[in-house]
């Protein structure tokens, strides 16, 4: 994972850089409730403390994980 250049708050673009995903993928995670709630907003832009995203990423299932029955 790559650390974005912003250090205080991460916007959707920063989360995407950290995850190695596109902004649209991160937006989809957020709309499906798969991303943690934003720590704050700047106008209409959600923002997270970097540690919030790091902790969440450490707990999420790996790439390609699927629940089996």
């Amino acid at each position: 994972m790559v650390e974005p250049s912003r250090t205080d708050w991460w916007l959707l673009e920063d989360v995407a850089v950290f995850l190695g995903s596109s902004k649209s993928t991160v937006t989809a995670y957020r709309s499906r409730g798969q991303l943690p709630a934003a720590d704050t907003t700047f106008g209409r832009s959600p923002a997270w403390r970097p540690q919030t995203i790091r902790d969440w990423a450490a707990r999420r299932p790996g790439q390609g994980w699927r629940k089996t029955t």
Side-chain angles (χ1 to χ4, degrees):
M1 294 186 199
V2 176
E3 290 285 323
S5 59
R6 283 186 253 258
T7 59
D8 293 338
W9 295 100
W10 285 356
L11 303 176
L12 288 169
E13 297 86 358
D14 303 305
V15 175
V17 167
F18 178 72
L19 296 175
S21 301
S22 68
K23 181 182 171 187
S24 62
T25 297
V26 175
T27 300
Y29 288 164
R30 184 170 181 254
S31 66
R32 291 191 303 249
Q34 295 173 309
L35 203 60
D39 293 314
T40 193
T41 56
F42 297 115
R44 293 175 50 192
S45 299
W48 295 265
R49 292 273 185 200
Q51 197 59 48
T52 300
I53 298 300
R54 287 186 197 108
D55 291 345
W56 167 80
R59 290 188 315 269
R60 67 190 281 252
Q63 191 83 353
W65 178 87
R66 296 289 182 266
K67 183 177 180 179
T68 58
T69 56

